[in-house]
mmCIF file of all heavy atoms in Angstrom:
data_model
loop_
_atom_site.group_PDB
_atom_site.id
_atom_site.type_symbol
_atom_site.label_atom_id
_atom_site.label_comp_id
_atom_site.label_asym_id
_atom_site.label_seq_id
_atom_site.Cartn_x
_atom_site.Cartn_y
_atom_site.Cartn_z
ATOM 1 N N THR A 811 -35.045 -69.783 -42.546
ATOM 2 C CA THR A 811 -35.529 -69.708 -41.161
ATOM 3 C C THR A 811 -36.461 -68.521 -40.921
ATOM 4 O O THR A 811 -37.311 -68.591 -40.048
ATOM 5 C CB THR A 811 -34.359 -69.652 -40.163
ATOM 6 O OG1 THR A 811 -33.532 -68.534 -40.453
ATOM 7 C CG2 THR A 811 -33.535 -70.920 -40.229
ATOM 8 N N GLU A 812 -36.314 -67.453 -41.683
ATOM 9 C CA GLU A 812 -37.143 -66.262 -41.496
ATOM 10 C C GLU A 812 -38.637 -66.592 -41.573
ATOM 11 O O GLU A 812 -39.431 -66.116 -40.779
ATOM 12 C CB GLU A 812 -36.790 -65.207 -42.546
ATOM 13 C CG GLU A 812 -37.655 -63.972 -42.503
ATOM 14 C CD GLU A 812 -37.308 -62.997 -43.615
ATOM 15 O OE1 GLU A 812 -37.382 -63.364 -44.803
ATOM 16 O OE2 GLU A 812 -36.940 -61.855 -43.273
ATOM 17 N N ASN A 813 -39.006 -67.408 -42.550
ATOM 18 C CA ASN A 813 -40.419 -67.716 -42.726
ATOM 19 C C ASN A 813 -40.708 -69.217 -42.687
ATOM 20 O O ASN A 813 -41.793 -69.645 -43.051
ATOM 21 C CB ASN A 813 -40.942 -67.107 -44.028
ATOM 22 C CG ASN A 813 -40.100 -67.512 -45.215
ATOM 23 O OD1 ASN A 813 -39.351 -68.481 -45.165
ATOM 24 N ND2 ASN A 813 -40.225 -66.770 -46.300
ATOM 25 N N LYS A 814 -39.710 -70.015 -42.248
ATOM 26 C CA LYS A 814 -39.859 -71.465 -42.105
ATOM 27 C C LYS A 814 -40.329 -72.126 -43.392
ATOM 28 O O LYS A 814 -41.179 -73.018 -43.380
ATOM 29 C CB LYS A 814 -40.802 -71.797 -40.953
ATOM 30 C CG LYS A 814 -40.281 -71.352 -39.623
ATOM 31 C CD LYS A 814 -41.215 -71.730 -38.519
ATOM 32 C CE LYS A 814 -40.666 -71.230 -37.197
ATOM 33 N NZ LYS A 814 -41.596 -71.340 -36.118
ATOM 34 N N ARG A 815 -39.766 -71.679 -44.513
ATOM 35 C CA ARG A 815 -40.106 -72.250 -45.807
ATOM 36 C C ARG A 815 -38.951 -73.075 -46.327
ATOM 37 O O ARG A 815 -37.798 -72.821 -46.008
ATOM 38 C CB ARG A 815 -40.445 -71.156 -46.815
ATOM 39 C CG ARG A 815 -41.726 -70.421 -46.480
ATOM 40 C CD ARG A 815 -42.085 -69.412 -47.516
ATOM 41 N NE ARG A 815 -42.509 -70.072 -48.749
ATOM 42 C CZ ARG A 815 -42.670 -69.428 -49.894
ATOM 43 N NH1 ARG A 815 -42.441 -68.147 -49.973
ATOM 44 N NH2 ARG A 815 -43.054 -70.073 -50.967
ATOM 45 N N SER A 816 -39.255 -74.043 -47.147
ATOM 46 C CA SER A 816 -38.250 -74.840 -47.827
ATOM 47 C C SER A 816 -38.125 -74.341 -49.257
ATOM 48 O O SER A 816 -39.096 -73.860 -49.842
ATOM 49 C CB SER A 816 -38.657 -76.315 -47.867
ATOM 50 O OG SER A 816 -38.803 -76.816 -46.581
ATOM 51 N N ALA A 817 -36.920 -74.481 -49.801
ATOM 52 C CA ALA A 817 -36.702 -74.151 -51.205
ATOM 53 C C ALA A 817 -35.822 -75.237 -51.806
ATOM 54 O O ALA A 817 -34.915 -75.752 -51.156
ATOM 55 C CB ALA A 817 -36.046 -72.783 -51.352
ATOM 56 N N ILE A 818 -36.110 -75.578 -53.056
ATOM 57 C CA ILE A 818 -35.349 -76.592 -53.783
ATOM 58 C C ILE A 818 -34.810 -75.946 -55.053
ATOM 59 O O ILE A 818 -35.532 -75.229 -55.748
ATOM 60 C CB ILE A 818 -36.233 -77.805 -54.122
ATOM 61 C CG1 ILE A 818 -36.774 -78.426 -52.831
ATOM 62 C CG2 ILE A 818 -35.465 -78.834 -54.939
ATOM 63 C CD1 ILE A 818 -37.815 -79.485 -53.031
ATOM 64 N N TYR A 819 -33.533 -76.207 -55.336
ATOM 65 C CA TYR A 819 -32.903 -75.654 -56.532
ATOM 66 C C TYR A 819 -33.225 -76.561 -57.722
ATOM 67 O O TYR A 819 -32.762 -77.697 -57.795
ATOM 68 C CB TYR A 819 -31.396 -75.536 -56.317
ATOM 69 C CG TYR A 819 -30.716 -74.710 -57.370
ATOM 70 C CD1 TYR A 819 -30.810 -73.320 -57.353
ATOM 71 C CD2 TYR A 819 -29.986 -75.311 -58.383
ATOM 72 C CE1 TYR A 819 -30.188 -72.555 -58.312
ATOM 73 C CE2 TYR A 819 -29.354 -74.547 -59.348
ATOM 74 C CZ TYR A 819 -29.456 -73.173 -59.312
ATOM 75 O OH TYR A 819 -28.844 -72.413 -60.277
ATOM 76 N N GLN A 820 -34.034 -76.049 -58.648
ATOM 77 C CA GLN A 820 -34.429 -76.816 -59.824
ATOM 78 C C GLN A 820 -34.386 -75.930 -61.051
ATOM 79 O O GLN A 820 -34.855 -74.783 -61.015
ATOM 80 C CB GLN A 820 -35.841 -77.376 -59.666
ATOM 81 C CG GLN A 820 -35.961 -78.423 -58.583
ATOM 82 C CD GLN A 820 -37.381 -78.923 -58.428
ATOM 83 O OE1 GLN A 820 -38.339 -78.167 -58.589
ATOM 84 N NE2 GLN A 820 -37.521 -80.182 -58.092
ATOM 85 N N ASP A 821 -33.828 -76.475 -62.106
ATOM 86 C CA ASP A 821 -33.784 -75.789 -63.403
ATOM 87 C C ASP A 821 -33.163 -74.405 -63.304
ATOM 88 O O ASP A 821 -33.642 -73.446 -63.905
ATOM 89 C CB ASP A 821 -35.190 -75.704 -64.013
ATOM 90 C CG ASP A 821 -35.808 -77.075 -64.226
ATOM 91 O OD1 ASP A 821 -35.069 -78.009 -64.587
ATOM 92 O OD2 ASP A 821 -37.034 -77.214 -64.018
ATOM 93 N N GLY A 822 -32.108 -74.284 -62.499
ATOM 94 C CA GLY A 822 -31.352 -73.043 -62.431
ATOM 95 C C GLY A 822 -31.910 -71.966 -61.525
ATOM 96 O O GLY A 822 -31.441 -70.829 -61.568
ATOM 97 N N ASP A 823 -32.906 -72.292 -60.691
ATOM 98 C CA ASP A 823 -33.455 -71.289 -59.784
ATOM 99 C C ASP A 823 -34.034 -71.980 -58.551
ATOM 100 O O ASP A 823 -34.345 -73.158 -58.571
ATOM 101 C CB ASP A 823 -34.545 -70.470 -60.484
ATOM 102 C CG ASP A 823 -34.808 -69.136 -59.808
ATOM 103 O OD1 ASP A 823 -34.024 -68.734 -58.908
ATOM 104 O OD2 ASP A 823 -35.801 -68.477 -60.168
ATOM 105 N N TRP A 824 -34.173 -71.223 -57.483
ATOM 106 C CA TRP A 824 -34.756 -71.738 -56.249
ATOM 107 C C TRP A 824 -36.268 -71.734 -56.373
ATOM 108 O O TRP A 824 -36.870 -70.710 -56.693
ATOM 109 C CB TRP A 824 -34.309 -70.895 -55.063
ATOM 110 C CG TRP A 824 -32.867 -71.099 -54.734
ATOM 111 C CD1 TRP A 824 -31.829 -70.293 -55.077
ATOM 112 C CD2 TRP A 824 -32.299 -72.194 -54.015
ATOM 113 N NE1 TRP A 824 -30.648 -70.815 -54.620
ATOM 114 C CE2 TRP A 824 -30.902 -71.989 -53.964
ATOM 115 C CE3 TRP A 824 -32.822 -73.329 -53.414
ATOM 116 C CZ2 TRP A 824 -30.037 -72.870 -53.325
ATOM 117 C CZ3 TRP A 824 -31.972 -74.209 -52.782
ATOM 118 C CH2 TRP A 824 -30.578 -73.984 -52.743
ATOM 119 N N GLN A 825 -36.877 -72.869 -56.104
ATOM 120 C CA GLN A 825 -38.331 -73.012 -56.120
ATOM 121 C C GLN A 825 -38.795 -73.162 -54.678
ATOM 122 O O GLN A 825 -38.394 -74.104 -53.998
ATOM 123 C CB GLN A 825 -38.741 -74.253 -56.922
ATOM 124 C CG GLN A 825 -38.118 -74.354 -58.294
ATOM 125 C CD GLN A 825 -38.523 -73.238 -59.220
ATOM 126 O OE1 GLN A 825 -39.678 -72.815 -59.230
ATOM 127 N NE2 GLN A 825 -37.577 -72.740 -59.996
ATOM 128 N N PHE A 826 -39.612 -72.235 -54.209
ATOM 129 C CA PHE A 826 -40.102 -72.294 -52.837
ATOM 130 C C PHE A 826 -41.305 -73.223 -52.761
ATOM 131 O O PHE A 826 -42.210 -73.151 -53.585
ATOM 132 C CB PHE A 826 -40.442 -70.894 -52.322
ATOM 133 C CG PHE A 826 -39.216 -70.095 -52.019
ATOM 134 C CD1 PHE A 826 -38.612 -69.337 -53.003
ATOM 135 C CD2 PHE A 826 -38.642 -70.138 -50.757
ATOM 136 C CE1 PHE A 826 -37.455 -68.622 -52.731
ATOM 137 C CE2 PHE A 826 -37.491 -69.425 -50.485
ATOM 138 C CZ PHE A 826 -36.900 -68.668 -51.472
ATOM 139 N N VAL A 827 -41.284 -74.101 -51.760
ATOM 140 C CA VAL A 827 -42.362 -75.062 -51.565
ATOM 141 C C VAL A 827 -43.580 -74.304 -51.034
ATOM 142 O O VAL A 827 -43.477 -73.546 -50.066
ATOM 143 C CB VAL A 827 -41.929 -76.175 -50.581
ATOM 144 C CG1 VAL A 827 -43.056 -77.160 -50.344
ATOM 145 C CG2 VAL A 827 -40.682 -76.878 -51.107
ATOM 146 N N GLU A 828 -44.680 -74.498 -51.676
ATOM 147 C CA GLU A 828 -45.903 -73.792 -51.297
ATOM 148 C C GLU A 828 -46.562 -74.447 -50.082
ATOM 149 O O GLU A 828 -46.433 -75.644 -49.860
ATOM 150 C CB GLU A 828 -46.893 -73.773 -52.465
ATOM 151 C CG GLU A 828 -46.379 -73.029 -53.681
ATOM 152 C CD GLU A 828 -46.105 -71.557 -53.414
ATOM 153 O OE1 GLU A 828 -46.874 -70.926 -52.650
ATOM 154 O OE2 GLU A 828 -45.127 -71.043 -53.968
ATOM 155 N N THR A 829 -47.285 -73.666 -49.340
ATOM 156 C CA THR A 829 -48.039 -74.162 -48.191
ATOM 157 C C THR A 829 -49.259 -74.939 -48.678
ATOM 158 O O THR A 829 -49.940 -74.522 -49.610
ATOM 159 C CB THR A 829 -48.494 -72.977 -47.318
ATOM 160 O OG1 THR A 829 -47.341 -72.289 -46.852
ATOM 161 C CG2 THR A 829 -49.301 -73.447 -46.131
ATOM 162 N N ILE A 830 -49.506 -76.062 -48.051
ATOM 163 C CA ILE A 830 -50.702 -76.845 -48.346
ATOM 164 C C ILE A 830 -51.638 -76.703 -47.152
ATOM 165 O O ILE A 830 -51.280 -77.059 -46.027
ATOM 166 C CB ILE A 830 -50.355 -78.332 -48.589
ATOM 167 C CG1 ILE A 830 -49.439 -78.463 -49.803
ATOM 168 C CG2 ILE A 830 -51.634 -79.154 -48.767
ATOM 169 C CD1 ILE A 830 -48.938 -79.866 -50.044
ATOM 170 N N ALA A 831 -52.796 -76.189 -47.415
ATOM 171 C CA ALA A 831 -53.769 -75.991 -46.336
ATOM 172 C C ALA A 831 -54.457 -77.312 -46.004
ATOM 173 O O ALA A 831 -54.643 -78.161 -46.879
ATOM 174 C CB ALA A 831 -54.804 -74.965 -46.759
ATOM 175 N N PRO A 832 -54.824 -77.484 -44.755
ATOM 176 C CA PRO A 832 -55.567 -78.695 -44.386
ATOM 177 C C PRO A 832 -56.944 -78.683 -45.048
ATOM 178 O O PRO A 832 -57.457 -77.630 -45.420
ATOM 179 C CB PRO A 832 -55.666 -78.602 -42.867
ATOM 180 C CG PRO A 832 -55.443 -77.174 -42.538
ATOM 181 C CD PRO A 832 -54.593 -76.598 -43.635
ATOM 182 N N PRO A 833 -57.545 -79.868 -45.190
ATOM 183 C CA PRO A 833 -58.867 -79.927 -45.826
ATOM 184 C C PRO A 833 -59.921 -79.192 -44.989
ATOM 185 O O PRO A 833 -59.868 -79.204 -43.766
ATOM 186 C CB PRO A 833 -59.161 -81.425 -45.907
ATOM 187 C CG PRO A 833 -58.250 -82.073 -44.927
ATOM 188 C CD PRO A 833 -57.071 -81.169 -44.771
ATOM 189 N N SER A 834 -60.850 -78.562 -45.693
ATOM 190 C CA SER A 834 -61.959 -77.886 -45.017
ATOM 191 C C SER A 834 -63.127 -77.760 -45.983
ATOM 192 O O SER A 834 -62.942 -77.746 -47.195
ATOM 193 C CB SER A 834 -61.532 -76.502 -44.510
ATOM 194 O OG SER A 834 -61.223 -75.672 -45.592
ATOM 195 N N GLY A 835 -64.317 -77.652 -45.427
ATOM 196 C CA GLY A 835 -65.510 -77.455 -46.245
ATOM 197 C C GLY A 835 -65.912 -78.705 -47.011
ATOM 198 O O GLY A 835 -65.412 -79.804 -46.764
#
C-alpha cells in the first residue's frame, strides 16, 4: 500500500511488478 505496487512470489523471492508507461512519441 505504501507505493501501490504489486509483488508476486516467484522462484523463492518477491518480484515487484514494474510500471508500464502509456505509449508516447
Side-chain angles (χ1 to χ4, degrees):
T811 58
E812 176 183 59
N813 53 18
K814 296 182 181 170
R815 292 183 70 192
S816 300
I818 300 171
Y819 192 76
Q820 293 178 325
D821 301 323
D823 200 10
W824 289 100
Q825 309 297 320
F826 286 88
V827 179
E828 297 298 323
T829 299
I830 298 175
S834 65

